[in-house]
Each structure stands twice: as structure tokens, then as C-alpha cells.
Amino acid sequence: TDRTLVTVTWKSPDRTSREVEIRETSSTSVKDVIGQILPVSQINAILGQGKTHGRGMSIDEQCRFQIPNNFSCTVAIVTIAGTNGIISGVHQISSVEKCEINKKETRVEGTRLKIILQGIPRSLNRIHYLMAQKGNSKVVPWASEADARNQKLQIISAGQYEKDGMIVIEHVPQEDLYITVIGEYKMPNGQIVYAEPSKHRVVNTPKKKISYSIKWGSAGLLFKTHSVAKGVKLVVECTEKEIPELKLVYRTDGHIPMGVSDPQNVVVCTIEEKEDGFPSGVLRMDLPDSAWNAAKPGSHLRLLMDEDDLMEYEFVIKDLNALKVPGN
């Protein structure tokens, strides 16, 4: 479901065209007859008088239809051939609004995690939530709708959240925190519906350090008012396995670069994201001699990363004076 647009797909066993109906039902006995060939009259008796939300042909292998906002129901997928048919499956469809985490406001303060939501959606009854750590596992520990349905998560009522304005978890560890929030909704007909999970990772570890320096080689031929640098090397040191994408930049006006997306940046080189770190923790990169042709003497060079990565990493500059383009 994409909010109000529902897409049902299936695999047709052959190229014979049969009618497929997506029918609403409240029957609890439907699952007992899934896959059985039954007279259409018997299928109608089992499913009741629920609305037919969509129709298609089996060879289309897809049917799309709209449902109202904040709506939920159970539908049966029925294939009909003549006077007989098969109930192929039963599914829950829902257009309830996801209970979204406010990723800008959710943060750790001291040893306390504060989870803030974007808002309180209509018909929200309770909030199921989980804060977990990845540890040594490669599996990201997000919670699922099934976890909420089976009461495996912590729970707060919508009313209590509205009163407090946040969910608070005390004494959180200094690790990456994986937060899942799942909204539980009580529909006007009394039905309980769970929205898709909202997920957010909060970095709560000491920042990983990336140190760097520039080794200037000998000056080459005179270019306009300054000597063109030759044989320049960028040296980057980091012992971490995962290293984000890095860019060495200067600004066209010679000022200190502050952000990786600044339109005045000139990118001297890009270090691709690493999943296995640098060999021996060090990367030595030869920089192109032509990189300095358009740089103003005294221009400030900086190694930058994406703003999101700054939550996890920080730069250490080994020689600040060496981060200027030399010139006469």
C-alpha cells in the first residue's frame, strides 16, 4: 500500500484469462478454505456482503485501486472461472498515517534518549517502540509490525505521549542506537491496525577520528603570479573499517570551505566510501598537478564529508599551515 493506493500482485499459473476480485470480508473462516475450489455461491456465503474494491484478469497479474484515508479492512483475493472459484489469499490493507519519528529533534541528551514524533496521527491509540543496539551482528535490529502485534515492544498510549511530548529512555549506552516506532490505531469500527514502522539511527558513540595532512612537493613553472605546485600528496589516516566518502576542496574565493555542498567549492579529489578501511590505516593519494592552476595563492584546503557523517566522524588536521595553496 502507498497510503491510499493499493497494489495487489499475483503469479498466473497459465495464460488462461480468469476474473480476479479483491473483496472486503469480516469472516474469520476464510483462511480455512484458502486454495480450495468452491462454487461461487459458497464463496459469496463465506465472504459475506463486503465491498468489491478491485477487479482484474488473472493474466494481468496486477490490480490497483484506491481506498479512503485512515481506512483499514481485510480483503480476500478471489479467482473465478465460470461457476467455481478459489480464494487465493487474505490480506490486511490500510491507509493509516505512519507514526513518523522527528529525526531532527530525536537525540541523546546526557544519558537520556528523547524520541520525538512528527505529530499524533488521527485514530492513534498506542505507540510501540524499540531502542536496540547492533552489537557484533551484521543484522540491523529494527522492529517489525509483527513484533508490535505480538506485544514484544515497549508501549506508551497516545494520550500519555501527548501529555509528555516525548518518549524518554534513560541510561542509554554509548553505541549506535536503532529506534523503531510503530503506531497502533483503533478504527471507528473497533478494529486495531498497525502502521508501517518508522526507523531512525542515532549515533551515540565517541566520534571516530579521521586525520589528514598535505605534503607539498617542489614548485614547478611560474603560472601567472605564483608557482604551480608539483608532486602534491594527500595523506589520510583512519583505523576504522567503515569510512565515509571524503572530498578535498577549496573555494573559488579562497576562503575556508565549511560545507561539502557549498556551490563555491572546487573539488580537488574524491575518496570513495570504504567498507574495509585503508591498508594499514593510511591512504596516500597523489594529487593532480593541474588541480592548482585555477587556485588562488593562499586558498584554504579542507577535507569534508556529508553532514550526516559528521554525527559519527570528526577530522583532525595535522598541519594547519600546510592546508594553504602556496604561491608568491
Side-chain angles (χ1 to χ4, degrees):
T1 303
D2 183 8
R3 282 305 305 273
T4 60
L5 176 63
V6 179
T7 302
V8 179
T9 60
W10 59 85
K11 187 68 175 177
S12 180
D14 51 44
R15 300 310 296 170
T16 302
S17 186
R18 306 176 181 88
E19 185 178 6
V20 177
E21 295 182 349
I22 318 301
R23 294 177 54 176
E24 184 173 338
T25 182
S26 58
S27 171
T28 58
S29 61
V30 179
K31 292 183 179 180
D32 297 334
V33 295
I34 288 176
Q36 297 180 24
I37 299 176
L38 302 170
V40 171
S41 58
Q42 186 176 345
I43 291 175
N44 291 337
I46 292 170
L47 297 182
Q49 301 300 313
K51 177 181 177 180
T52 298
H53 286 277
R55 283 189 172 91
M57 302 307 293
S58 59
I59 58 175
D60 296 334
E61 298 190 336
Q62 180 175 276
C63 176
R64 290 186 174 184
F65 55 91
Q66 295 283 154
I67 56 176
N69 275 315
N70 294 301
F71 173 82
S72 178
C73 73
T74 301
V75 294
I77 316 301
V78 183
T79 304
I80 299 172
T83 59
N84 292 327
I86 295 176
I87 299 175
S88 303
V90 178
H91 301 276
Q92 184 81 26
I93 60 172
S94 171
S95 62
V96 295
E97 185 179 349
K98 185 191 287 189
C99 197
E100 290 279 8
I101 299 169
N102 186 326
K103 296 181 180 179
K104 289 186 176 180
E105 297 295 328
T106 296
R107 59 185 179 271
V108 175
E109 294 182 354
T111 60
R112 172 183 294 180
L113 171 65
K114 294 182 177 180
I115 303 173
I116 312 293
L117 303 180
Q118 293 282 15
I120 302 177
R122 178 183 171 188
S123 301
L124 182 67
N125 182 42
R126 300 196 298 177
I127 302 159
H128 299 248
Y129 64 96
L130 173 73
M131 181 210 74
Q133 298 88 52
K134 193 173 181 181
N136 295 324
S137 172
K138 293 185 178 181
V139 179
V140 180
W142 304 121
S144 67
E145 179 186 331
D147 293 326
R149 192 179 299 278
N150 294 324
Q151 308 290 301
K152 292 183 177 181
L153 310 179
Q154 292 179 279
I155 302 172
I156 184 174
S157 69
Q160 188 63 51
Y161 176 84
E162 190 170 16
K163 178 182 176 182
D164 297 340
M166 65 184 69
I167 298 170
V168 177
I169 301 176
E170 302 281 1
H171 308 299
V172 295
Q174 283 196 319
E175 297 182 32
D176 286 354
L177 309 176
Y178 294 85
I179 303 163
T180 308
V181 168
I182 300 171
E184 176 191 310
Y185 299 79
K186 189 170 185 179
M187 310 310 291
N189 63 1
Q191 185 180 25
I192 298 298
V193 178
Y194 297 88
E196 293 181 5
S198 177
K199 304 172 183 178
H200 180 46
R201 182 183 72 143
V202 173
V203 177
N204 190 40
T205 57
K207 288 192 175 182
K208 301 168 184 175
K209 299 186 184 301
I210 300 174
S211 63
Y212 68 101
S213 60
I214 292 182
K215 308 296 184 184
W216 294 95
S218 60
L221 298 174
L222 189 69
F223 182 83
K224 293 185 180 179
T225 59
H226 67 284
S227 297
V228 180
K230 299 286 186 179
V232 184
K233 289 184 182 293
L234 170 65
V235 181
V236 184
E237 299 178 47
C238 183
T239 58
E240 302 294 334
K241 286 292 184 183
E242 295 181 1
I243 301 172
E245 181 183 80
L246 307 172
K247 293 180 184 291
L248 182 69
V249 307
Y250 65 84
R251 280 173 53 110
T252 54
D253 58 9
H255 294 166
I256 299 175
M258 300 302 292
V260 72
S261 59
D262 189 331
Q264 293 194 61
N265 286 346
V266 176
V267 179
V268 177
C269 71
T270 299
I271 301 171
E272 300 295 334
E273 181 180 0
K274 307 291 183 184
E275 294 184 356
D276 295 316
F278 300 139
S280 302
V282 181
L283 174 70
R284 293 179 175 86
M285 177 178 287
D286 293 322
L287 302 179
D289 296 340
S290 60
W292 322 108
N293 292 349
K296 295 180 180 179
S299 292
H300 295 266
L301 290 156
R302 289 293 185 272
L303 199 62
L304 300 177
M305 68 181 82
D306 188 87
E307 288 185 6
D308 290 342
D309 294 319
L310 288 171
M311 298 173 60
E312 189 172 353
Y313 298 85
E314 65 180 356
F315 288 117
V316 177
I317 299 173
K318 288 202 165 184
D319 185 352
L320 189 59
N321 292 328
L323 296 185
K324 286 186 180 181
V325 176
N328 297 331

